[in-house]
């Protein structure tokens, strides 16, 4: 079979299996409120709740691993407190510094999580939805369509799985899905990452395709998180194609919401720009980007494009050349390091590929 034929077949298998329901959804441990956990501990001394919460939240241990609990209690809690996500696959790259999981939710949807270890920080990139409805043509998740929203517990559990490997310092919502299209659960997850897992809001980043009402709402939340806006084009004709939601909230509306964000939160805004040869890497693109970024004092992250069906990866050096066009225009831009290409682990490339 030709390469393209095989890719097409794999994609259609992936699309079917991602929608497959393997049974009803059941709550994972982070989907349970403290009151529910208390109920499960009925008849036990009160310190058992502290032990259980400490195990789940601080040590990222599953209940079956909490040897300080009596055996009979562990057995009783094993099923109601079982992880909500089942790892179908765990791949590693960059000598173990990059790890990617493909998880199945309890009802059979697929989500992916990536952990990236750097010398002074460890970032986990989480999914906020299974699939995505936004349809950006270069994005593997967008190509597969929307499956469902993740719960805040499912978002937290991805971080818990990553923390079992390494202490996590930063969380970015740049995996599968559009966080602001799942607004309530995303904000709940952000608050809980801080309150329950102890990760400071300043180390949390929400990446959005540009859902204008969501940006405004988030700006009013009193949550000092970082915001990254996936711009990719700074003229409406091109952005309509690359980021279809631009037809609903065009650049003028997006710029206003971004200005409101920086004015209200006083936090630096980042703009994401996946460099696509001949499409958005020309001198005129640099000028348009500078006109958009300048008034916002935004920082630009240039992302070498990961290969997806119909899109070739950004050639080596291209993103750096585009950064060199931006520098004289007074725009601060950094080229994002590509991680885990060989294991399809880069954020934004996540799709439910068939496993094994
Ligand atoms: N939905 C949100 C967050 C998830 S996508 C958003 O769009 O911002 C995270 C980032 O990966 C976005 O900036 C997205 O544009 C980018 N991305 C998507 N597909 C990509 C690809 N093939 N190569 C590089 N970046 C990609
Ligand atoms: Fe969805 Fe973001 Fe992919 Fe666009 S880039 S389809 S918004 S996940």
């Amino acid at each position: 079979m030709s390469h393209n034929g095989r890719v097409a077949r794999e994609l259609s298998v992936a699309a079917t299996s991602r929608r497959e329901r393997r049974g009803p959804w059941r709550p994972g441990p982070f989907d349970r409120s403290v009151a529910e956990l208390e109920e499960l501990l009925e008849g036990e001394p009160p310190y058992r709740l502290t032990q259980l919460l400490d195990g789940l939240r601080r040590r990222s241990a599953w209940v079956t691993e909490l040897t300080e609990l009596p055996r009979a209690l562990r057995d009783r809690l094993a099923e109601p407190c079982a992880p909500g996500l089942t790892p179908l696959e765990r791949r590693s790259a960059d000598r173990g510094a990059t790890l990617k999981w493909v998880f199945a939710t309890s009802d059979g949807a697929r989500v992916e999580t990536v952990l990236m270890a750097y010398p002074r920080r460890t970032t986990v990139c989480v999914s906020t939805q299974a699939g995505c409805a936004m349809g950006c043509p270069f994005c593997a998740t967008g190509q597969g369509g929307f499956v469902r929203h993740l719960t805040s517990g499912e978002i937290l559990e991805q971080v818990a799985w990553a923390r079992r490997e390494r202490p996590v310092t930063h969380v970015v919502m740049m995996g599968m899905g559009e966080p602001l299209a799942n607004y309530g659960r995303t904000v709940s997850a952000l608050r809980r990452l801080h309150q329950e897992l102890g990760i400071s809001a300043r180390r949390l980043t929400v990446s959005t395709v540009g859902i204008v009402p969501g940006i405004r709402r988030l700006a009013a939340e009193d949550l000092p998180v970082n915001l990254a806006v996936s711009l990719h084009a700074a003229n409406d004709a091109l952005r309509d194609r690359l980021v279809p939601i631009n037809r609903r909230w065009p650049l003028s509306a997006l710029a206003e919401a971004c200005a409101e964000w920086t004015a209200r939160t006083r936090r630096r805004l980042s703009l994401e720009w996946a460099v696509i040869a001949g499409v958005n890497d020309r001198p005129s693109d640099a000028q348009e980007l500078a006109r958009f970024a300048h008034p916002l004092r935004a920082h630009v992250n240039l992302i070498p494009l990961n290969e997806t069906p119909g899109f070739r990866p950004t050639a080596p050096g291209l993103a750096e050349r585009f950064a060199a066009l931006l520098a004289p225009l007074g725009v601060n831009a950094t080229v994002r390091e590509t991680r885990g290409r060989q294991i399809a682990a880069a954020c934004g490339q996540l799709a439910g590929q068939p496993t094994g």
Side-chain angles (χ1 to χ4, degrees):
M1 198 186 293
S2 72
H3 174 71
N4 281 346
R6 186 174 56 75
V7 169
R9 189 188 62 82
E10 286 184 0
L11 276 175
S12 75
V13 171
T16 336
S17 58
R18 286 168 72 198
R19 277 171 191 75
E20 189 179 289
R21 290 285 185 268
R22 285 187 201 125
W25 180 82
R26 64 164 184 78
F30 291 97
D31 290 308
R32 296 195 181 274
S33 65
V34 172
E36 280 177 282
L37 294 175
E38 261 170 333
E39 224 168 275
L40 289 170
L41 287 169
E42 214 189 297
E44 297 291 328
Y47 61 84
R48 294 287 181 223
L49 179 67
T50 317
Q51 288 178 319
L52 179 58
L53 290 177
D54 183 69
L56 287 170
R57 294 176 177 180
R58 200 176 55 80
R59 286 155 47 204
S60 303
W62 305 125
V63 73
T64 48
E65 297 162 341
L66 299 180
T67 46
E68 66 272 37
L69 302 181
R71 186 67 201 244
L73 179 60
R74 255 184 286 156
D75 289 348
R76 202 174 91 209
L77 295 178
E79 212 224 284
C81 290
L85 304 175
T86 307
L88 299 176
E89 202 179 320
R90 178 184 169 282
R91 296 189 209 172
S92 130
D94 307 315
R95 293 203 202 92
T98 306
L99 288 175
K100 170 178 138 174
W101 290 263
V102 180
F103 293 108
T105 61
S106 53
D107 58 348
R110 293 215 183 169
V111 295
E112 301 186 13
T113 307
V114 183
L115 181 142
M116 292 158 287
Y118 303 94
R120 279 192 303 277
R121 59 159 67 184
T122 297
T123 299
V124 55
C125 175
V126 298
S127 299
T128 53
Q129 299 179 313
C132 182
M134 298 296 137
C136 307
F138 55 87
C139 169
T141 306
Q143 288 168 354
F146 179 69
V147 181
R148 74 159 166 86
H149 294 303
L150 296 185
T151 63
S152 69
E154 287 167 331
I155 300 172
L156 247 67
E157 199 185 302
Q158 294 171 61
V159 179
W161 278 98
R163 289 222 295 197
R164 291 168 65 81
E165 304 281 343
R166 284 170 193 272
V168 167
T169 59
H170 292 72
V171 177
V172 295
M173 293 181 163
M174 290 190 185
M176 300 169 88
E178 168 50 40
L180 299 185
N182 185 14
Y183 188 87
R185 298 173 191 91
T186 289
V187 167
S188 161
L190 292 169
R191 293 196 192 285
R192 296 181 62 194
L193 283 167
H194 173 55
Q195 288 161 3
E196 298 175 24
L197 302 192
I199 304 172
S200 135
R202 292 185 160 71
R203 294 175 164 199
L204 308 176
T205 299
V206 176
S207 175
T208 179
V209 71
I211 310 276
V212 163
I215 296 173
R216 291 184 187 280
R217 237 176 121 183
L218 191 65
E221 289 281 352
D222 191 25
L223 251 177
V225 296
N226 305 295
L227 185 69
V229 171
S230 298
L231 197 64
H232 308 312
N235 79 68
D236 279 317
L238 179 58
R239 196 162 190 271
D240 280 354
R241 284 202 286 132
L242 290 180
V243 184
I245 201 70
N246 192 67
R247 295 175 203 155
R248 178 115 166 247
W249 293 292
L251 287 160
S252 55
L254 182 59
E256 267 179 45
C258 289
E260 190 177 320
W261 169 268
T262 47
R264 285 191 84 147
T265 65
R266 310 217 159 267
R267 297 192 61 74
R268 194 178 73 171
L269 179 85
S270 320
L271 301 173
E272 310 279 303
W273 192 279
V275 185
I276 312 174
V279 173
N280 67 357
D281 69 336
R282 301 155 301 177
S284 59
D285 298 302
Q287 273 157 11
E288 288 162 0
L289 170 53
R291 275 199 292 275
F292 190 94
H294 235 246
L296 299 168
R297 296 170 192 270
H299 183 87
V300 173
N301 286 321
L302 299 175
I303 319 172
L305 195 74
N306 298 302
E307 184 167 12
T308 56
F311 287 84
R312 303 250 293 273
T314 305
L318 199 71
E320 286 77 5
R321 284 203 291 283
F322 190 60
L325 294 179
L326 291 168
L329 303 173
V331 176
N332 236 322
T334 25
V335 177
R336 191 190 287 165
E337 188 189 330
T338 46
R339 276 292 184 101
R341 269 199 172 166
Q342 65 275 39
I343 56 167
C347 292
Q349 187 185 350
L350 306 179
Q353 297 166 334
T355 51

